Amino acid sequence: MATTTTLKVNNVGQTFTTNTGQRVEALRNVTLDIPPGQIMTLVGPSGCGKSTLLKIIAGFFPPSHGTVSVLDSPAASPRRTGSNADLGSGSQFHREPKATMSPTEHIITEPGPDRGVVFQQPTLFPWLSVRDNVQLASEFAKDTELHDAQRNKATQLLDLVGLSNAAERYPHELSGGMQQRAQIARVLASMPKTVLMDEPFSALDPFTREQLQAELLRIWHQDQPTIIFVTHSVEEAILLGHRVIVMAANPGRILADVHAEHIAIEHLDDRESITATGKAATSRGYPAHQQSSAASFPQPFEPEAPLNGN
């Protein structure tokens, strides 16, 4: 049965102890509800806990206090109205979930196949070709149907990110931008419900970074997974996010929760407009307790044609 997944971050805090015994509070009282299909960007200065929060959501380590949980709700299925005699004529479909269906919630304590992580540096296996790297998840599929679905998805993604012609190359034969494309394709080929991205474009040159930003939006439009994207760039956060979480340091906490309804960007190359809008939006911000409806986030800009190159 199909389900929709909501991530719930409930009063999460994280404290680390240094080698000298000093206690460092990396996160304090972070609470977020992240609906399915939303692109949420986390932006803030170094040391504000963005990556720490992402790793907790990934299940790499537990928070010092609070919880991160996944709420799975059954998706409504089409059902016919009217009697059997009407099925061939005037019957209509409508979505009507069964009354007995209820959401199930479980606490995240470890990594899982429902969450995929794209790191800052590519993590491709050097002894595998690009195709084999992207198809890797299918090798561990538990049934034939999932295996075939992931193989087909891998083939689609290789084409979507412009790597079909480089599919038989090895990672050392690729540019940095191509390696990052392959890493993104590999994560998405496993068909996770949530994609966690930890500054994946920060090490790339500006031209390649802009290309990959556009490709990420194009990929999102295909399956619309939930994406949590960590960045230092206000421009990038505004460009990609339906929702921008602005964080502050010492301790890491949410400063503002900005929804992008008021942001209109006509062209991806209008960088001055994007930056000015982003700075204005985050400077006026919205307190976290005044979040607008999660159902009202807008669709991001969709490029008209694939971008080729590195």
Side-chain angles (χ1 to χ4, degrees):
M1 177 181 295
T3 60
T4 60
T5 298
T6 299
L7 279 170
K8 299 178 72 67
V9 179
N10 183 31
N11 199 32
V12 162
Q14 184 66 49
T15 301
F16 297 106
T17 302
T18 67
N19 292 334
T20 61
Q22 180 183 5
R23 292 172 61 83
V24 178
E25 190 177 17
L27 290 171
R28 177 187 292 176
N29 300 338
V30 174
T31 296
L32 291 166
D33 280 357
I34 308 161
Q38 187 176 76
I39 303 178
M40 187 183 78
T41 54
L42 301 175
V43 65
S46 297
C48 70
K50 304 183 301 295
S51 294
T52 298
L53 179 58
L54 200 76
K55 291 172 183 175
I56 292 173
I57 295 173
F60 293 161
F61 52 80
S64 301
H65 65 78
T67 59
V68 176
S69 60
V70 175
L71 185 67
D72 287 324
S73 303
S77 58
R79 302 180 65 190
R80 286 190 186 270
T81 60
S83 64
N84 289 339
D86 296 329
L87 290 181
S89 55
S91 62
Q92 295 181 341
F93 280 107
H94 70 97
R95 295 192 177 274
E96 182 183 321
K98 295 179 181 179
T100 57
M101 296 177 182
S102 59
T104 59
E105 185 171 5
H106 68 269
I107 305 298
I108 292 175
T109 59
E110 60 185 4
D114 60 314
R115 284 153 285 132
V117 183
V118 179
F119 296 97
Q120 183 173 342
Q121 298 295 335
T123 55
L124 303 174
F125 291 105
W127 58 88
L128 295 179
S129 67
V130 170
R131 184 183 306 279
D132 289 341
N133 265 289
V134 174
Q135 293 180 345
L136 186 62
S138 67
E139 299 299 324
F140 301 94
K142 295 181 179 180
D143 57 68
T144 302
E145 184 178 358
L146 179 60
H147 173 275
D148 293 345
Q150 290 180 336
R151 280 295 176 106
N152 291 335
K153 176 57 68 175
T155 300
Q156 293 172 15
L157 286 165
L158 281 170
D159 182 60
L160 195 61
V161 301
L163 288 178
S164 293
N165 293 334
E168 306 311 321
R169 297 186 194 176
Y170 289 87
H172 71 274
E173 299 175 307
L174 305 179
S175 67
M178 294 172 75
Q179 289 180 20
Q180 197 65 306
R181 282 194 181 101
Q183 180 185 205
I184 293 171
R186 183 179 67 181
V187 169
L188 291 171
S190 67
M191 302 170 66
K193 293 181 179 179
T194 302
V195 180
L196 308 172
M197 309 186 78
D198 191 5
E199 300 187 60
F201 307 148
S202 62
L204 304 175
D205 64 87
F207 183 74
T208 302
R209 183 167 61 247
E210 291 178 16
Q211 286 186 320
L212 290 186
Q213 288 167 348
E215 288 179 2
L216 177 62
L217 295 182
R218 186 179 300 110
I219 290 169
W220 179 86
H221 273 276
Q222 290 257 320
D223 300 314
Q224 300 191 7
T226 302
I227 296 178
I228 303 176
F229 190 103
V230 168
T231 179
H232 280 100
S233 168
V234 171
E235 175 187 334
E236 185 170 63
I238 294 296
L239 173 64
L240 297 178
H242 304 126
R243 176 183 179 191
V244 180
I245 304 299
V246 184
M247 299 188 68
N250 302 316
R253 63 199 185 278
I254 295 176
L255 183 65
D257 186 343
V258 183
H259 288 255
E261 291 92 345
H262 59 285
I263 299 170
I265 300 170
E266 298 297 330
H267 303 286
L268 281 174
D269 58 357
D270 189 5
R271 298 284 153 171
E272 287 188 14
S273 174
I274 294 170
T275 304
T277 305
K279 288 181 178 178
T282 52
S283 65
R284 61 179 176 263
Y286 300 108
H289 64 275
Q290 294 180 354
Q291 298 177 12
S292 57
S293 170
S296 62
F297 59 81
Q299 305 303 307
F301 175 82
E302 181 177 12
E304 296 179 353
L307 294 171
N308 298 318
N310 299 340

